[in-house]
Amino acid sequence: MKATSIAQLLQQEPSLVEITARGWVRAFRSNRFIALNDGSTLHNIQCVVDFENFEEETLKNITVGAAIEVKGTLVESQGKGQRVEIQVSEVEVLGTADPEDVKLTILSPKRHSLEKLREQAHLRVRTNTFGAIMRVRSKLSFAIHEYFQKNGFYYMHTPIITGSDAEGAGEMFKVTNLDLKKTPLNEDGAINYKEDFFEKETNLTVSGQLEAETYAMGLGKVYTFGPTFRAENSNTSRHLAEFWMIEPEVAFNDLADNMDLAEDFIKYVVNYALENCADDLEFLENRLLQEEKSKPQAERSEMALRDKLKFVLENNFKRVSYTEAIEILKNSKPNKKKKFKYLIEEWGADLQSEHERFLVEKHFKSPVILFDYPAKIKAFYMRLNDDGKTVRAMDVLFPGIGEIVGGSQREERYDVLKEKMETMGIPEEELYWYLDLRKFGTCVHSGFGLGFERLVLFVTGMGNIRDVIPYPRTPGNASF
Amino acid sequence: MKATSIAQLLQQEPSLVEITARGWVRAFRSNRFIALNDGSTLHNIQCVVDFENFEEETLKNITVGAAIEVKGTLVESQGKGQRVEIQVSEVEVLGTADPEDVKLTILSPKRHSLEKLREQAHLRVRTNTFGAIMRVRSKLSFAIHEYFQKNGFYYMHTPIITGSDAEGAGEMFKVTNLDLKKTPLNEDGAINYKEDFFEKETNLTVSGQLEAETYAMGLGKVYTFGPTFRAENSNTSRHLAEFWMIEPEVAFNDLADNMDLAEDFIKYVVNYALENCADDLEFLENRLLQEEKSKPQAERSEMALRDKLKFVLENNFKRVSYTEAIEILKNSKPNKKKKFKYLIEEWGADLQSEHERFLVEKHFKSPVILFDYPAKIKAFYMRLNDDGKTVRAMDVLFPGIGEIVGGSQREERYDVLKEKMETMGIPEEELYWYLDLRKFGTCVHSGFGLGFERLVLFVTGMGNIRDVIPYPRTPGNASF
């Protein structure tokens, strides 16, 4: 008989029709009440067994972590906390879980640290916390696709292995098929990449933007959603060496359109999570409350998780130029009292995380979009403003997260772009195709990148980016 | 004023309200009729300009490939082929396209070979053929997500950089941060990976299956949709070094459930394309008809493209055991007349593409699911049947494509799996986590992998896999 998912069973009315459920035992108390979970939902279904009717051997094997199948009928629950439960007529243990072995793992029913869970990342998804995070992650992914598809965007897969390193000089992973023990060299001592698989030097992509631009010039509105990589030695709770990024790119959009798109998009996906992950978000909200109880009052969140998400929906993102932001920061208390690690002294300074968080969390108390940054601290492809010193860049800053989106209007003028590439030492022969876009029917266009894991961090209220991706890759760690 | 997409304009009724459209000029004839395309749809909208009202300089710049903005009203079309057209009141050239430069590219309005288009992959999406292919690709991607999400699956991102090479020995790309000119060596002459970014040897993934299994054991039903890699030196029209794969994995599913899932899934996405890409598929069908006119009768498709897609929807996939298939092949005409390159002489032979195509295209004339393959020719993780010599593997074979899906029920028994890993020389310390799944609540489970580009090939009727992905990666080629 086909099994019914626990998510579905919990929605059904009591009935005499026999049903089958399969899942993993989360608890078995009084030799009578099994809490069964199959991952379809946070909630367990209670299965009531009349122990006198079952073999002792079977009952003995119903232990935490075991996979079982139960048949029975759905009856009104006598206990509290659930509407229905299964009155079990048959139970079969499909796969045991030796309690002595379970004791050594995070499956054992007690509190485990997030560090410990990370070490057993292949099992952590069986916990309530990680089940919830990963269901939310999945729903957010779908919301992203749904948003763009509903709005006339085409999804494109930009290459992962790339022959150009225009953007990521020094921070890229090399991809090679060469024998590393005896790398072939040319007469001049350089590596002979002609012998490599692609017959040239290749790396893992840091962004699909440039290729996305080529498609926006044909399909109008496109987006990417794929993995990107940074070989940056940052061992922080905000950085991963491998992470997923969403990059929309839209022909004819200027910077204001780009900001509108980013705001509308983020609100759509956050709202989608609130509507489609109610149980999981409630659980994560309580988890966060518990976690914060051990922190000093000043470090606790001012809002509960779902209130914070609703706050984002209900408020306009504050749009502030870089120049205004510098003024605010220069005159701010932490700057005057020298509380910032990097003091803001003059226009042109690169903003640090501490400054962004001050603007978002203390000054504006809302998500902020900073725009029109100094050209000097931004990438070559950003549209130069008429003032000659700022570019049409924008960053969306979120409370607790910092930069969640970085984007810009792109330089659409052939001569200006070419000159900038020369100045910045970007070889034209490598990006001739990118310049071509400015030669054949160029137009104003814009786009941005959203780091998916940062969005998941924000929505789940987790504190460490390693806890919102199944198998995190960080310096010194590529386990599983 | 906000522009309206051409897809939307073509759906609207004539009206006196002023509208704005932006796009690229596909043709300009008689100094009067502009065919404008913005990528939102295959179709151009006709823009009628009264040349006496516009500056000569402007008209001169309305050339093929130029980006323009027109304002005007939507009127009933006098010409045939379209219901409405734009009566233009204003036109602005946003970006020119010098006809002398255009002549040197595939943007010039004449027939270009697919090879030529591949060389200018950054521009080919502006042609009708590639616009259509890439819109279909995008819709198919979304259909895949929609299918799984509707059916209670959770999307998971399996790692791209992997420390385990259990599956792909020899065919994997290395990922490294080491200086290739002076690779650090240990005293024994081996590479000192401790100095590399991840402090171990790492590669690009060939499959997310093993990690997906870990999540199926917690969330029940999961799927991946991500890039996978093969450093295989195959320069064929069916192979890419970088391609996208979809891998569902379901707890409690046996091989029959797995076949049901594969068939239901493929039918859903093919149907989605038929319903949502009608124009593009009609275009691609005609393209294929044209292309095939130059082929001898015997090599032409028996069915038009959309008929072939409908045929897949309307027919059950024929399920045939490997053993039956061998009998059929042994007794087949091409085998008896020695027309096969590899003659089928006995049970145990690995099937080649020629055999698969014979079964699908000549014998059954329908998609075929082959199952219960000899254990010797299949991977270590496949469930051993009670006969001791076959495993619960399945391959879905499609006309013209060959294998489009490969899957299996997984070996869920700890002892059997452990022994098989030993026999096959797979180190336990590398896959301890995979064995753990059989230690803690193991259960019957199954999954499969679908090569996304092969699906796109099938649905678009294209012949070369390099033409269904934006920027193909193949031996010697990682351009753009």
Side-chain angles (χ1 to χ4, degrees):
Chain A
M1 194 166 63
K2 281 262 173 221
T4 312
S5 78
I6 291 172
Q8 285 173 314
L9 288 173
L10 290 173
Q11 300 294 323
Q12 291 181 7
E13 296 303 318
S15 150
L16 291 175
V17 179
E18 188 181 61
I19 52 93
T20 302
R22 300 187 189 116
W24 293 272
V25 176
R26 286 290 176 87
F28 186 30
R29 44 184 190 90
S30 317
N31 233 4
R32 192 167 159 75
F33 301 107
I34 304 168
L36 190 67
N37 188 286
D38 68 356
S40 61
T41 162
L42 175 79
H43 299 295
N44 307 322
I45 194 161
Q46 176 156 286
C47 308
V48 186
V49 294
D50 194 349
F51 56 83
E52 288 168 1
N53 298 338
F54 296 95
E55 307 236 346
E56 210 172 306
E57 182 65 19
T58 302
L59 293 174
K60 215 187 67 193
N61 282 327
I62 302 176
T63 57
V64 170
I68 65 169
E69 173 180 288
V70 300
K71 288 185 198 301
T73 52
L74 214 54
V75 299
E76 207 175 313
S77 180
Q78 302 305 312
K80 46 186 179 173
Q82 67 266 332
R83 216 167 43 87
V84 291
E85 61 190 24
I86 300 176
Q87 185 64 49
V88 177
S89 56
E90 286 176 49
V91 60
E92 189 188 342
V93 176
L94 305 172
T96 56
D98 186 328
E100 289 306 310
D101 291 333
V102 166
K103 241 189 238 167
L104 306 171
T105 73
I106 56 164
L107 297 177
S108 59
K110 58 169 201 162
R111 227 175 169 68
H112 302 281
S113 71
L114 291 170
E115 288 75 17
K116 186 98 188 159
L117 291 166
R118 253 169 250 150
E119 286 164 18
Q120 297 177 34
H122 63 305
L123 299 176
R124 68 178 177 171
V125 74
R126 303 185 188 196
T127 64
N128 281 335
T129 299
F130 281 85
I133 294 167
M134 294 306 164
R135 280 188 294 269
V136 171
R137 186 179 164 108
S138 168
K139 294 286 182 190
L140 283 171
S141 298
F142 187 63
I144 288 164
H145 284 293
E146 192 175 81
Y147 175 83
F148 287 121
Q149 298 268 341
K150 271 187 182 171
N151 286 289
F153 286 71
Y154 294 103
Y155 181 37
M156 79 171 285
H157 293 113
T158 48
I160 311 300
I161 298 172
T162 169
S164 80
D165 68 346
E167 266 210 275
E171 292 182 1
M172 296 178 99
F173 287 106
K174 301 178 191 90
V175 175
T176 181
N177 207 17
L178 295 173
D179 183 345
L180 301 189
K181 278 199 224 165
K182 32 181 184 185
T183 326
L185 299 180
N186 287 325
E187 282 174 15
D188 63 357
I191 292 156
N192 180 7
Y193 282 110
K194 280 279 157 217
E195 289 192 21
D196 208 350
F197 188 89
F198 295 109
E199 298 170 20
K200 66 188 287 194
E201 191 177 349
T202 51
N203 298 293
L204 289 178
T205 185
V206 295
S207 159
Q209 178 203 317
L210 305 193
E211 288 91 354
E213 283 185 54
T214 66
Y215 266 47
M217 295 297 122
L219 298 177
K221 296 159 93 173
V222 300
Y223 69 105
T224 74
F225 188 168
T228 49
F229 306 84
R230 297 284 148 83
E232 215 178 325
N233 210 347
S234 312
N235 241 320
T236 81
S237 60
R238 293 275 174 276
H239 291 88
L240 290 168
E242 172 181 315
F243 56 101
W244 287 68
M245 190 136 79
I246 296 103
E247 297 181 281
E249 188 71 36
V250 186
F252 310 114
N253 262 14
D254 63 18
L255 190 64
D257 298 326
N258 205 29
M259 293 193 235
D260 291 345
L261 177 65
E263 182 166 348
D264 192 51
F265 164 61
I266 293 175
K267 285 179 171 175
Y268 182 90
V269 300
V270 168
N271 185 54
Y272 187 96
L274 277 168
E275 287 184 355
N276 291 279
C277 309
D279 293 348
D280 288 321
L281 289 180
E282 185 187 3
F283 174 85
L284 290 167
E285 176 173 299
N286 289 326
R287 191 206 69 83
L288 188 58
L289 278 172
Q290 284 301 321
E291 187 186 74
E292 293 199 327
K293 276 188 185 156
S294 63
K295 288 187 185 171
Q297 189 74 41
E299 285 176 30
R300 294 183 202 169
S301 314
E302 285 175 25
M303 278 185 257
L305 180 61
R306 284 174 298 175
D307 288 336
K308 203 177 63 173
L309 302 182
K310 283 178 201 150
F311 182 81
V312 163
L313 296 186
E314 288 157 8
N315 287 280
N316 292 332
F317 295 6
K318 184 78 192 158
R319 300 180 187 194
V320 185
S321 76
Y322 167 88
T323 304
E324 288 172 75
I326 286 290
E327 282 309 304
I328 292 167
L329 289 166
K330 257 207 283 199
N331 299 316
S332 69
K333 259 196 200 163
N335 204 54
K336 288 185 169 166
K337 296 197 167 175
K338 311 207 168 183
K339 288 275 165 66
F340 282 144
K341 191 170 164 208
Y342 298 90
L343 293 181
I344 297 292
E345 277 158 7
E346 56 186 9
W347 193 93
D350 205 353
L351 300 187
Q352 305 296 322
S353 174
E354 56 180 344
H355 309 127
E356 295 176 348
R357 295 190 64 166
F358 173 82
L359 291 169
V360 171
E361 293 164 25
K362 304 290 171 193
H363 189 84
F364 291 109
K365 294 181 191 294
S366 98
V368 168
I369 310 184
L370 287 188
F371 63 93
D372 282 353
Y373 281 82
K376 280 193 182 156
I377 58 174
K378 289 289 184 181
F380 76 94
Y381 50 71
M382 295 186 179
R383 176 60 154 80
L384 192 65
N385 277 312
D386 292 344
D387 62 15
K389 59 177 196 172
T390 61
V391 288
R392 291 191 190 155
M394 63 166 218
D395 284 349
V396 181
L397 311 178
F398 258 44
I401 304 291
E403 185 193 321
I404 193 165
V405 157
S408 68
Q409 184 178 319
R410 319 306 188 186
E411 183 55 75
E412 87 281 12
R413 296 164 298 181
Y414 184 86
D415 296 337
V416 179
L417 183 64
K418 199 176 141 115
E419 198 191 310
K420 215 152 168 196
M421 281 169 61
E422 272 166 26
T423 315
M424 289 179 143
I426 296 162
E428 192 180 325
E429 59 275 22
E430 217 181 79
L431 285 189
Y432 74 92
W433 51 274
Y434 188 67
L435 271 168
D436 264 5
L437 304 181
R438 281 70 182 169
K439 206 161 156 184
F440 301 106
T442 190
C443 65
V444 164
H445 62 288
S446 303
F448 60 80
L450 175 134
F452 183 54
E453 282 73 20
R454 294 199 176 174
L455 176 70
V456 185
L457 266 186
F458 181 73
V459 173
T460 59
M462 297 301 293
N464 191 318
I465 204 159
R466 296 162 203 217
D467 295 331
V468 298
I469 189 166
Y471 297 102
R473 267 71 183 108
T474 51
N477 177 31
S479 303
F480 308 99
Chain B
M1 195 166 67
K2 280 262 173 221
T4 311
S5 78
I6 290 172
Q8 285 174 313
L9 288 174
L10 290 173
Q11 300 294 323
Q12 291 181 8
E13 297 301 319
S15 150
L16 292 176
V17 179
E18 188 181 61
I19 52 93
T20 302
R22 299 187 189 115
W24 294 273
V25 175
R26 285 290 176 89
F28 186 31
R29 55 189 179 83
S30 316
N31 233 4
R32 193 167 158 77
F33 302 107
I34 304 169
L36 190 66
N37 189 287
D38 67 357
S40 61
T41 163
L42 175 78
H43 300 295
N44 307 322
I45 194 160
Q46 176 157 285
C47 308
V48 185
V49 294
D50 194 349
F51 57 83
E52 287 167 2
N53 298 339
F54 297 95
E55 307 235 348
E56 211 173 306
E57 181 65 20
T58 303
L59 293 173
K60 216 186 66 192
N61 282 326
I62 302 177
T63 58
V64 171
I68 65 169
E69 172 180 289
V70 299
K71 290 185 197 299
T73 53
L74 214 54
V75 299
E76 207 175 311
S77 180
Q78 302 304 313
K80 44 187 180 175
Q82 67 266 335
R83 216 168 42 89
V84 290
E85 60 190 23
I86 300 175
Q87 184 65 51
V88 176
S89 56
E90 288 175 48
V91 58
E92 188 188 343
V93 177
L94 306 171
T96 56
D98 184 329
E100 290 305 310
D101 291 332
V102 166
K103 241 189 236 167
L104 306 171
T105 73
I106 56 164
L107 298 177
S108 59
K110 57 168 202 164
R111 231 179 163 65
H112 302 281
S113 71
L114 291 170
E115 288 76 17
K116 187 96 188 160
L117 291 165
R118 254 169 249 150
E119 287 164 18
Q120 297 177 35
H122 64 305
L123 298 176
R124 67 179 178 172
V125 73
R126 304 184 189 196
T127 64
N128 281 335
T129 299
F130 281 85
I133 294 167
M134 295 306 163
R135 279 187 296 268
V136 172
R137 186 179 165 110
S138 167
K139 294 286 182 189
L140 283 171
S141 298
F142 187 63
I144 288 163
H145 284 292
E146 192 176 81
Y147 175 83
F148 287 121
Q149 298 268 341
K150 271 186 183 172
N151 287 288
F153 287 70
Y154 294 103
Y155 181 37
M156 79 172 285
H157 292 113
T158 48
I160 310 300
I161 298 173
T162 168
S164 81
D165 69 346
E167 268 211 275
E171 291 182 5
M172 296 177 101
F173 288 105
K174 301 177 190 93
V175 175
T176 182
N177 208 16
L178 294 174
D179 183 344
L180 300 189
K181 277 198 225 166
K182 31 181 186 185
T183 326
L185 298 180
N186 287 324
E187 281 174 15
D188 64 356
I191 292 157
N192 180 8
Y193 283 109
K194 280 278 157 221
E195 290 193 21
D196 208 349
F197 188 91
F198 295 108
E199 298 171 21
K200 66 188 288 196
E201 191 176 350
T202 51
N203 298 292
L204 288 178
T205 185
V206 295
S207 159
Q209 178 202 317
L210 306 191
E211 289 91 353
E213 284 186 53
T214 66
Y215 265 47
M217 295 297 120
L219 298 177
K221 298 158 92 171
V222 300
Y223 70 106
T224 74
F225 189 168
T228 49
F229 306 84
R230 297 283 148 82
E232 214 177 324
N233 210 345
S234 313
N235 240 321
T236 81
S237 61
R238 294 274 174 279
H239 291 88
L240 291 168
E242 171 182 315
F243 57 100
W244 286 70
M245 190 136 79
I246 296 102
E247 297 182 282
E249 189 71 37
V250 186
F252 310 114
N253 262 13
D254 63 18
L255 190 64
D257 298 326
N258 205 29
M259 292 194 238
D260 291 345
L261 177 65
E263 183 166 347
D264 191 52
F265 164 61
I266 293 175
K267 285 179 171 175
Y268 182 90
V269 300
V270 168
N271 184 54
Y272 187 95
L274 277 167
E275 287 184 355
N276 291 279
C277 309
D279 293 346
D280 288 320
L281 289 180
E282 185 187 2
F283 175 86
L284 291 166
E285 176 172 301
N286 289 327
R287 191 206 70 84
L288 187 59
L289 278 174
Q290 285 300 321
E291 188 185 74
E292 293 199 328
K293 275 188 185 157
S294 63
K295 288 187 183 171
Q297 190 73 42
E299 285 175 28
R300 295 183 200 167
S301 313
E302 287 176 23
M303 278 187 255
L305 179 61
R306 284 172 300 174
D307 289 337
K308 203 178 62 174
L309 302 183
K310 283 176 202 152
F311 181 82
V312 163
L313 295 187
E314 287 157 8
N315 288 278
N316 292 334
F317 294 6
K318 184 77 193 163
R319 301 182 186 193
V320 185
S321 76
Y322 167 88
T323 304
E324 287 172 76
I326 285 292
E327 282 310 304
I328 293 166
L329 289 167
K330 256 208 284 201
N331 299 317
S332 69
K333 259 194 201 166
N335 204 55
K336 289 185 167 167
K337 295 196 166 174
K338 312 209 167 182
K339 288 276 165 67
F340 282 145
K341 192 174 162 203
Y342 298 91
L343 294 180
I344 296 292
E345 278 159 5
E346 57 186 7
W347 194 94
D350 205 352
L351 300 188
Q352 305 297 322
S353 173
E354 55 180 347
H355 309 126
E356 296 177 347
R357 295 191 64 165
F358 173 81
L359 291 169
V360 171
E361 292 164 25
K362 304 291 172 191
H363 189 84
F364 290 109
K365 293 181 192 293
S366 97
V368 169
I369 310 185
L370 287 189
F371 63 92
D372 281 354
Y373 280 82
K376 281 195 181 152
I377 59 174
K378 288 290 184 182
F380 76 94
Y381 50 71
M382 295 187 178
R383 176 60 153 81
L384 192 65
N385 277 311
D386 292 343
D387 61 17
K389 60 178 194 169
T390 60
V391 288
R392 290 189 191 156
M394 64 166 215
D395 283 350
V396 181
L397 311 178
F398 259 43
I401 303 292
E403 185 193 321
I404 193 165
V405 158
S408 69
Q409 185 178 316
R410 318 307 187 186
E411 183 55 73
E412 86 282 11
R413 297 165 298 181
Y414 184 86
D415 296 336
V416 180
L417 183 64
K418 198 175 142 120
E419 199 191 310
K420 216 152 168 197
M421 281 170 59
E422 272 166 26
T423 314
M424 289 177 144
I426 295 163
E428 193 180 325
E429 60 276 20
E430 219 180 79
L431 284 189
Y432 74 92
W433 51 274
Y434 188 66
L435 272 168
D436 264 5
L437 303 181
R438 281 71 182 169
K439 207 161 156 184
F440 302 106
T442 190
C443 64
V444 165
H445 63 287
S446 303
F448 60 81
L450 175 134
F452 183 54
E453 281 74 19
R454 293 201 176 173
L455 176 70
V456 184
L457 265 186
F458 181 73
V459 173
T460 59
M462 297 301 292
N464 192 318
I465 203 159
R466 296 162 203 216
D467 295 332
V468 298
I469 189 167
Y471 296 103
R473 267 70 183 108
T474 53
N477 177 31
S479 304
F480 307 101

